[in-house]
Amino acid sequence: MTENEQLFWNRVLELARDELKQAAYDYFVADARLISIDNQIATIYLDEVKQMFWRQNLKSVILTAGFEIFNVEIKCHFTFEEPKTPTSFEEQGEGLVEEVLDTPHLAPVVSNIDDKYSFDNFVQGEGNKWAKAAAIAVASSPGTIYNPLFIYGGPGLGKTHLLNAIGNEILKDRPNARIRYISAETFINEFLKSLQTGKKEEMKESFRTLDVLLIDDIQSMGTSKMKATQEEFFNTFNVLHSNNKQIVLTSDRIPDQLNGLEKRLVTRFSWGLTVDITPPDYETRVAILTNKIQELPYDFEQNTIEYLANQFSANVRDLEGALKDIDLVARFKHVDTVTVEIAAEAIRARKNDSPKMNVISIDDIQEQVGKFYGVTVKEIKATKRTQDIVLARQVAMYLAREMTDNSLPKIGKSFGGRDHSTVLHAYNKIKNMLAQDDNLRIELETIKTKIR
Ligand code: ADP
Ligand code: MG
């Protein structure tokens, strides 16, 4: 590292500090390292999930520092390969310059944000790192980077958590910011109520003057039969977006699959950034459990944590549920250390609840799959071969084989008298698709929880 390179990098960090909120600096910048500068190209060591943020937000910082120190245009190149002799620096620079805030002249809003959710207590893993990075980026510069931010993923994977964490992070710096967390379902209900009580204008006003709208489970908006609800949401969206007010949406599926939602709304959802959350892998499950047991007044054997991580793989809510079961037992029995035996005993009822023990009928499966894909059960059982119907039919057959004990011929019979080889073909086809298609995997997880 030459002296000039060192100067350059210190300047980059300093400028980045001025530019960014503390949380964004800590997350995106603090562990970046300059490896070298060759031919006016700065090679920077950085986790891939943070690279996009640099490309979009810190180009000017690199340019400025480059001209100041070298008098030429410095471009940057990112790598996530460990440099042979890693070089790290003491950070320099003064603390962050506080942003001057305009005093709000409107009445404060009840944000409905749950302060138990933060970025700090959201454990990062392969399946959620992009979503977390995008959420932090949005929280540090609302309305400017990704608008809207659309987060989708199966149930219990942390969407509501991230949504609230964004709100809490923004409120840290701007306690008076007009932020509102609301589920799509509550939005619908509030809207209907405002019509009944003649307070439609007030409702309109209260949403259109927000700085940040965090709207959860937008897929439920599709179930509202009233066109006026979507119309109202559409207008709110447009007003906020055109005023550069941040909108974050979550959903259990990608925008394209939002049945019952108007096309013009769905199109807008994809204007900003769409990121997914997929189920936690084993390491992440262990990390989440380890994190969540920290504050409990008793210990866990490492074996127990690994056991639990193996028992519940589909989502984080199940992991938390298991810890709650164990907590009851541990407190009741005054346990010091939770062994695998204690854990197994505590979660037995929960495991018995699990799908294989439940009697799930093919009818249930057909109904839920149909609902999800916007296809009728009749269509699933019939022979029509449009793309939607074929997918729904094959998914239903796949789930019938996976979730019930019925034989292939029996399943075939329940699908309008088809041959067992048709069922097997559908099963193999979906299985292959699942291996390659994360979206489909999320869709199936969602449908499965509905069936259970
Ligand atoms: P979703 O809205 O996607 O259905 P939630 O946000 O409600 O899921 O998450 C379910 C539970 O799991 C919450 O209590 C949440 O705090 C927890 N959780 C989910 N993901 C994580 C994570 N990565 N780290 C820590 N807790 C998590
Ligand atoms: Mg949720």
Side-chain angles (χ1 to χ4, degrees):
M1 178 77 35
T2 68
E3 198 174 316
N4 275 348
E5 283 174 351
Q6 175 95 50
L7 277 175
F8 165 81
W9 189 243
N10 287 344
R11 187 63 184 138
V12 166
L13 295 180
E14 196 174 68
L15 290 167
R17 259 186 195 284
D18 288 347
E19 191 102 331
L20 303 172
K21 291 273 171 55
Q22 185 72 44
Y25 181 88
D26 290 346
Y27 185 80
F28 290 105
V29 181
D31 54 8
R33 277 178 284 163
L34 177 66
I35 295 176
S36 63
I37 302 179
D38 286 310
N39 298 322
Q40 301 181 25
I41 295 178
T43 301
I44 295 169
Y45 172 78
L46 192 64
D47 182 343
E48 57 166 1
V49 26
K50 298 168 186 169
Q51 293 175 9
M52 181 167 63
F53 183 88
W54 275 69
R55 289 203 185 89
Q56 290 177 345
N57 303 289
L58 294 173
K59 261 197 177 139
S60 63
V61 161
I62 305 265
L63 272 182
T64 307
F67 276 110
E68 282 181 15
I69 311 293
F70 298 108
N71 249 320
V72 290
E73 179 179 345
I74 300 284
K75 295 209 165 100
C76 53
H77 166 73
F78 298 100
T79 174
F80 196 40
E81 310 250 303
E82 277 286 349
K84 290 213 177 59
T85 43
T87 29
S88 62
F89 305 99
E90 285 301 309
E91 285 165 27
Q92 289 193 348
E94 297 301 302
L96 195 101
V97 182
E98 274 303 311
E99 184 181 321
V100 184
L101 297 169
D102 39 357
T103 24
H105 34 268
L106 294 153
V109 277
V110 178
S111 71
N112 279 327
I113 291 167
D114 189 334
D115 58 15
K116 78 169 182 254
Y117 297 122
S118 68
F119 290 127
D120 282 344
N121 64 18
F122 187 84
V123 176
Q124 179 168 324
E126 271 308 305
N128 64 29
K129 63 180 185 181
W130 295 102
K132 183 176 181 183
I136 293 178
V138 158
S140 52
S141 333
T144 55
I145 308 180
Y146 313 125
N147 204 10
L149 172 62
F150 189 98
I151 304 173
Y152 72 95
L157 296 182
K159 301 183 296 296
T160 298
H161 187 133
L162 281 180
L163 210 50
N164 282 278
I166 292 173
N168 283 318
E169 186 64 39
I170 297 173
L171 285 172
K172 254 195 224 166
D173 285 344
R174 302 173 53 188
N176 293 323
R178 302 177 61 78
I179 304 185
R180 180 92 198 260
Y181 165 89
I182 191 168
S183 70
E185 208 175 331
T186 310
F187 183 91
I188 295 171
N189 292 338
E190 278 197 15
F191 178 67
L192 296 180
K193 209 167 115 206
S194 79
L195 291 183
Q196 284 159 8
T197 53
K199 298 215 164 120
K200 184 164 167 238
E201 288 308 313
E202 276 170 44
M203 151 128 188
K204 255 189 190 169
E205 171 80 7
S206 77
F207 277 95
R208 293 179 191 187
T209 52
L210 289 174
D211 295 321
V212 180
L213 174 60
L214 307 167
I215 186 152
D216 211 356
D217 291 317
I218 194 70
Q219 76 276 356
S220 355
M221 189 78 74
T223 61
S224 169
K225 295 281 173 287
M226 260 190 56
K227 263 198 116 184
T229 319
Q230 284 194 37
E231 178 79 22
E232 181 53 32
F233 183 68
F234 178 73
N235 292 328
T236 304
F237 186 102
N238 288 341
V239 169
L240 293 178
H241 193 272
S242 60
N243 289 327
N244 294 326
K245 303 299 186 184
Q246 182 69 46
I247 302 161
V248 187
L249 308 118
T250 73
S251 157
D252 66 0
R253 58 195 86 171
I254 53 170
D256 283 356
Q257 299 272 354
L258 288 166
N259 307 319
L261 272 182
E262 289 176 37
K263 191 89 198 127
R264 55 182 189 165
L265 258 179
V266 172
T267 313
R268 279 167 172 70
F269 294 165
S270 313
W271 275 355
L273 179 71
T274 302
V275 282
D276 68 348
I277 306 189
T278 55
D281 55 23
Y282 177 75
E283 276 83 46
T284 311
R285 298 199 297 276
V286 169
I288 289 174
L289 284 166
T290 309
N291 185 273
K292 292 202 186 285
I293 62 175
Q294 265 171 21
E295 271 147 42
L296 296 174
Y298 41 86
D299 294 329
F300 279 70
E301 280 182 353
Q302 187 58 25
N303 276 345
T304 311
I305 295 174
E306 285 160 15
Y307 165 76
L308 290 171
N310 274 319
Q311 296 299 308
F312 303 97
S313 57
N315 70 56
V316 184
R317 194 171 290 138
D318 290 349
L319 289 175
E320 285 189 341
L323 290 181
K324 284 193 189 122
D325 294 344
I326 292 170
D327 193 56
L328 276 181
V329 174
R331 285 177 199 266
F332 182 67
K333 293 190 175 167
H334 304 291
V335 166
D336 292 328
T337 304
V338 180
T339 60
V340 175
E341 288 72 30
I342 296 174
E345 173 66 30
I347 65 170
R348 202 162 64 197
R350 184 171 295 273
K351 289 303 286 179
N352 285 348
D353 251 11
S354 81
K356 284 193 193 70
M357 304 292 187
N358 250 355
V359 186
I360 290 169
S361 71
I362 298 179
D363 289 349
D364 294 339
I365 293 176
Q366 290 171 334
E367 191 192 322
Q368 292 302 334
V369 171
K371 245 193 210 153
F372 188 89
Y373 289 109
V375 169
T376 64
V377 171
K378 215 165 155 193
E379 286 171 321
I380 289 181
K381 291 185 178 180
T383 50
K384 203 168 157 203
R385 297 194 51 85
T386 65
Q387 214 177 344
D388 282 5
I389 300 178
V390 171
L391 178 67
R393 189 179 293 141
Q394 293 183 330
V395 164
M397 288 181 178
Y398 172 87
L399 291 176
R401 172 139 201 238
E402 203 198 65
M403 299 179 82
T404 75
D405 293 330
N406 290 297
S407 65
L408 291 176
K410 175 82 203 301
I411 295 174
K413 217 170 142 214
S414 309
F415 282 81
R418 288 184 160 80
D419 195 68
H420 78 272
S421 63
T422 310
V423 181
L424 190 62
H425 171 75
Y427 178 81
N428 287 329
K429 172 134 181 260
I430 298 296
K431 202 173 152 189
N432 287 334
M433 282 167 73
L434 283 174
Q436 292 155 20
D437 185 344
D438 286 341
N439 290 337
L440 187 64
R441 230 177 357 243
I442 293 170
E443 286 173 25
L444 259 66
E445 280 312 319
T446 306
I447 298 170
K448 276 189 194 167
T449 42
K450 299 257 158 72
I451 294 170
R452 287 167 198 155

Coordinates of all heavy atoms in Angstrom, one line a residue, residues 117 121-123 128 154-161 288 292 316-317 320, ligand 1:
Y117 N -38.5 -5.1 16.7 CA -37.8 -5.6 15.5 C -36.7 -4.5 15.1 O -37.0 -3.4 14.9 CB -38.8 -5.7 14.3 CG -39.9 -6.7 14.5 CD1 -41.2 -6.4 14.5 CD2 -39.5 -8.1 14.7 CE1 -42.2 -7.4 14.6 CE2 -40.5 -9.0 14.9 CZ -41.8 -8.7 14.8 OH -42.8 -9.6 15.0
N121 N -31.2 -7.3 15.6 CA -31.6 -8.6 16.0 C -32.2 -9.4 14.8 O -32.9 -10.4 14.9 CB -32.6 -8.6 17.2 CG -33.9 -7.9 16.9 OD1 -34.2 -7.7 15.7 ND2 -34.6 -7.5 17.9
F122 N -31.9 -9.0 13.6 CA -32.2 -9.8 12.4 C -30.9 -10.5 11.9 O -30.0 -9.8 11.4 CB -32.7 -8.8 11.3 CG -33.3 -9.6 10.1 CD1 -34.6 -10.0 10.1 CD2 -32.5 -9.8 9.0 CE1 -35.1 -10.7 9.0 CE2 -33.0 -10.5 7.9 CZ -34.3 -10.9 7.9
V123 N -30.9 -11.8 12.1 CA -29.7 -12.5 11.7 C -29.6 -12.7 10.2 O -30.6 -13.1 9.6 CB -29.7 -13.9 12.4 CG1 -28.5 -14.7 12.0 CG2 -29.8 -13.8 13.9
N128 N -31.5 -14.3 3.2 CA -32.1 -13.0 3.4 C -31.1 -11.8 3.3 O -31.5 -10.7 3.5 CB -32.7 -13.0 4.8 CG -31.7 -13.2 5.9 OD1 -30.5 -12.8 5.8 ND2 -32.1 -13.7 7.0
G154 N -41.7 -16.6 1.6 CA -42.7 -17.4 2.2 C -43.0 -17.0 3.7 O -42.3 -16.1 4.2
P155 N -43.9 -17.6 4.3 CA -44.3 -17.2 5.7 C -43.2 -17.4 6.7 O -42.5 -18.4 6.6 CB -45.6 -18.0 6.0 CG -45.5 -19.2 5.0 CD -44.8 -18.7 3.8
G156 N -43.2 -16.6 7.7 CA -42.2 -16.8 8.8 C -40.8 -16.6 8.4 O -39.9 -17.0 9.2
L157 N -40.5 -15.8 7.4 CA -39.1 -15.7 7.0 C -38.5 -14.3 7.3 O -37.4 -14.0 7.0 CB -38.9 -16.0 5.5 CG -39.2 -17.4 5.1 CD1 -39.0 -17.6 3.6 CD2 -38.4 -18.4 5.9
G158 N -39.3 -13.4 7.9 CA -38.8 -12.2 8.4 C -39.2 -10.9 7.6 O -38.6 -9.9 7.8
K159 N -40.3 -11.0 6.8 CA -40.7 -9.8 6.1 C -41.2 -8.8 7.0 O -40.8 -7.6 6.9 CB -41.8 -10.2 5.0 CG -41.3 -11.3 4.1 CD -42.4 -11.6 3.0 CE -43.6 -12.2 3.6 NZ -43.4 -13.5 4.2
T160 N -42.1 -9.2 7.9 CA -42.7 -8.2 8.8 C -41.5 -7.6 9.7 O -41.5 -6.4 10.0 CB -43.8 -8.8 9.7 OG1 -44.8 -9.3 8.8 CG2 -44.3 -7.9 10.7
H161 N -40.6 -8.5 10.1 CA -39.5 -8.0 10.9 C -38.7 -6.9 10.2 O -38.5 -5.8 10.7 CB -38.6 -9.2 11.2 CG -37.5 -9.0 12.1 ND1 -37.2 -9.8 13.2 CD2 -36.6 -8.0 12.2 CE1 -36.1 -9.3 13.9 NE2 -35.8 -8.2 13.3
I288 N -29.6 -18.1 14.2 CA -30.8 -17.5 14.7 C -31.1 -18.0 16.1 O -31.4 -17.2 17.0 CB -32.0 -17.7 13.8 CG1 -31.8 -16.9 12.5 CG2 -33.3 -17.4 14.4 CD1 -32.8 -17.2 11.4
K292 N -31.2 -16.0 19.6 CA -32.5 -15.9 20.4 C -32.4 -16.4 21.8 O -33.2 -16.1 22.6 CB -33.7 -16.5 19.6 CG -34.0 -15.7 18.4 CD -35.4 -16.0 17.9 CE -35.6 -15.3 16.5 NZ -35.7 -13.8 16.6
V316 N -38.5 -19.4 10.2 CA -38.0 -18.9 11.5 C -39.1 -18.9 12.6 O -38.8 -19.1 13.8 CB -37.4 -17.5 11.3 CG1 -36.8 -17.0 12.6 CG2 -36.4 -17.5 10.2
R317 N -40.3 -18.7 12.1 CA -41.4 -18.7 13.1 C -41.5 -20.1 13.9 O -41.7 -20.1 15.1 CB -42.7 -18.4 12.4 CG -43.8 -18.0 13.4 CD -45.0 -17.5 12.7 NE -44.8 -16.2 12.1 CZ -45.2 -15.8 10.9 NH1 -45.9 -16.7 10.2 NH2 -45.0 -14.6 10.5
E320 N -38.8 -20.2 16.5 CA -39.2 -19.4 17.7 C -40.3 -20.1 18.5 O -40.3 -20.1 19.7 CB -39.8 -18.0 17.2 CG -38.7 -17.1 16.8 CD -39.2 -15.7 16.6 OE1 -40.5 -15.5 16.4 OE2 -38.4 -14.8 16.6
Ligands
ADP1 P1 -43.0 -13.0 7.8 O1 -43.6 -11.6 7.9 O2 -42.1 -13.2 6.6 O3 -44.1 -14.0 7.8 P2 -41.9 -12.5 10.4 O4 -41.2 -11.2 10.1 O5 -43.2 -12.3 11.1 O6 -42.1 -13.3 9.1 O7 -40.9 -13.4 11.2 C1 -41.4 -14.5 12.0 C2 -40.6 -14.5 13.3 O8 -39.3 -14.9 13.0 C3 -40.5 -13.1 13.9 O9 -40.6 -13.2 15.3 C4 -39.1 -12.6 13.5 O10 -38.5 -11.7 14.4 C5 -38.3 -13.9 13.4 N1 -37.3 -13.8 12.3 C6 -37.4 -14.0 11.0 N2 -36.3 -13.9 10.4 C7 -35.3 -13.7 11.3 C8 -33.9 -13.4 11.3 N3 -33.2 -13.5 10.1 N4 -33.3 -13.2 12.5 C9 -34.0 -13.1 13.6 N5 -35.3 -13.3 13.7 C10 -36.0 -13.6 12.6

